[in-house]
Amino acid sequence: ANGYYRSRWVKCIWSSHDLSDMVFIDNRIFNKDVYIQFNSTVGHFVGYTEHGVYNAQRYNNDPNILQQERVELERVCKHNAEIRQSTIIGKS
């Protein structure tokens, strides 16, 4: 209870059936505050604290890390959304 709390929340957000407006968001959280975030619409990391700004600069300068995050929109979000939508349509 008196230690530090670190977590990561990954979100896929969309509102249409064609998935063209889908957004992938990867939040890195320390003690309940987001300190760095990747948003697929922005296309790079944004830091919200001193430590987050430092890491965002490091991550944004590494093409491997950026590419890995950018691929997640297709790999995780769209893939799973297509499975869910086909399941829902198949039950109608």
Side-chain angles (χ1 to χ4, degrees), residues 3-45:
Y4 297 103
Y5 177 78
R6 184 171 176 250
S7 65
R8 183 174 178 181
W9 289 5
V10 175
K11 302 175 190 177
C12 301
I13 303 169
W14 74 97
S15 62
S16 67
H17 292 289
D18 66 3
L19 308 181
S20 64
D21 64 343
M22 184 172 278
V23 178
F24 170 76
I25 298 174
D26 183 356
N27 289 313
R28 315 282 173 97
I29 301 161
F30 182 73
N31 285 350
K32 300 181 182 178
D33 292 323
V34 174
Y35 69 94
I36 189 171
Q37 179 184 79
F38 178 86
N39 182 319
S40 64
T41 303
V42 177
H44 62 268
F45 287 91

